[in-house]
Amino acid sequence: MPTVIVEKRDHLLLIWLNRPDKRNAFNIEMLEDLGRAYERLERDEELRAGVLYAVGDNFTAGLDLVDVAPRLVGGVMEWPDDARDPWRNDGRPWTKPVVAAAQGWCLTLGIELLLAADIRIAAEDTRFAQLEVQRGIYPFGGATTRLPREAGWGNAMRWLLTGDEFGAAEALRIGLVAETVTPGAQLDRAVELAERIARGAAPLGVRATLTAAQRAIREGDSAAEDRFVGDVAALFATKDGAEGVQSFVERRAAHFVGA
């Protein structure tokens, strides 16, 4: 049985975590399979957005330490050539947005998967905890860099330094998730948002938006600001740029082709 299921649906790639009997805890195979799914999302030019979800009652219980700990102790966490780090800590550019939907338990690396996604949805009964400090380690998938930025220092440290459990309402309050929905509706809502991106937004505009935001985070606001006018001028020169202007003039929906 595959640990990660992928389904191409028009311009979307649905990515399903699939170890429900282990509460979707990540072993080495699952880590690499998820990396392959993210690489496919980036490489397939027909795909415009991804949706990350989990089979079963829980998003993920985090790492399967029995399987993964020996590799971590050795200080090695390399990815196969056909995969990339789905926690987006490899310094490589990411051009396709990911909408993530969580339910049940969302622990440790699961929170960091959400933080690495672009839009995050959670069922109202989702339970979160960044437990690493209770296991003698610390969050190494991006929570220490992303959660303070998203939630503010005090909110982030409240949960990172204690490992305490918190609910979806708190996740919404601190900005870990963008929306909470009735349990069972999280996947439909994530797909709805991803489809709005894939069908209604210009792919080159989406890519430029992600690139500009990532540049500001990695290089500072001024590095992004220096590119604003030039980037927009380049977009206006594309077929989609012309279509965007024409659709505005004609007061109709635009039909973007990604060129």
Side-chain angles (χ1 to χ4, degrees), residues 87-89 112 115-116 138-153 156-157 160 217-218:
W87 285 269
R88 298 182 168 184
N89 294 320
E112 292 172 308
L115 288 167
Y138 85 110
F140 60 95
T144 56
T145 56
R146 294 189 176 108
L147 193 57
R149 188 168 63 233
E150 298 280 351
W153 184 270
M157 293 304 142
L160 293 178
I217 289 171
R218 293 187 180 279

Side-chain angles (χ1 to χ4, degrees), residues 125-155:
D125 59 357
T126 308
R127 306 302 298 173
F128 301 88
Q130 200 79 57
L131 295 166
E132 286 88 345
V133 294
Q134 297 182 7
R135 301 292 183 264
I137 57 175
Y138 85 110
F140 60 95
T144 56
T145 56
R146 294 189 176 108
L147 193 57
R149 188 168 63 233
E150 298 280 351
W153 184 270
N155 286 326

Side-chain angles (χ1 to χ4, degrees), residues 111 115 120 128 146-152 154-160 166-178:
I111 293 175
L115 288 167
R120 288 96 66 173
F128 301 88
R146 294 189 176 108
L147 193 57
R149 188 168 63 233
E150 298 280 351
N155 286 326
M157 293 304 142
R158 165 66 181 89
W159 305 112
L160 293 178
F166 59 97
E170 175 67 359
L172 180 64
R173 185 189 75 83
I174 66 176
L176 173 58
V177 299

Side-chain angles (χ1 to χ4, degrees), residues 2-18:
T3 62
V4 174
I5 300 170
V6 292
E7 175 191 345
K8 187 173 182 178
R9 185 183 298 178
D10 296 325
H11 292 298
L12 299 185
L13 187 69
L14 273 60
I15 304 168
W16 306 74
L17 306 181
N18 189 41

Side-chain angles (χ1 to χ4, degrees), residues 10 67 94 101-102 141 143 165 173 178 194 200 210 214 216 222 243:
D10 296 325
D67 186 78
W94 294 85
E165 175 190 330
R173 185 189 75 83
L210 288 174
Q214 292 169 24
S222 62
E243 168 64 8

Side-chain angles (χ1 to χ4, degrees), residues 64-191:
D64 185 338
L65 285 175
V66 173
D67 186 78
V68 179
R71 182 176 291 192
L72 293 176
V73 170
V76 177
M77 198 64 204
E78 297 179 348
W79 298 93
D81 292 340
D82 61 345
R84 64 168 59 191
D85 178 2
W87 285 269
R88 298 182 168 184
N89 294 320
D90 54 7
R92 299 167 67 182
W94 294 85
T95 64
K96 309 286 182 67
V98 172
V99 183
Q103 81 279 5
W105 284 108
C106 180
L107 304 179
T108 62
L109 285 178
I111 293 175
E112 292 172 308
L113 274 177
L114 296 187
L115 288 167
D118 302 288
I119 302 174
R120 288 96 66 173
I121 309 297
E124 292 169 343
D125 59 357
T126 308
R127 306 302 298 173
F128 301 88
Q130 200 79 57
L131 295 166
E132 286 88 345
V133 294
Q134 297 182 7
R135 301 292 183 264
I137 57 175
Y138 85 110
F140 60 95
T144 56
T145 56
R146 294 189 176 108
L147 193 57
R149 188 168 63 233
E150 298 280 351
W153 184 270
N155 286 326
M157 293 304 142
R158 165 66 181 89
W159 305 112
L160 293 178
L161 296 179
T162 63
D164 286 348
E165 175 190 330
F166 59 97
E170 175 67 359
L172 180 64
R173 185 189 75 83
I174 66 176
L176 173 58
V177 299
E179 297 180 18
T180 59
V181 296
T182 302
Q186 63 274 6
L187 176 59
D188 289 343
R189 180 56 175 157
V191 170

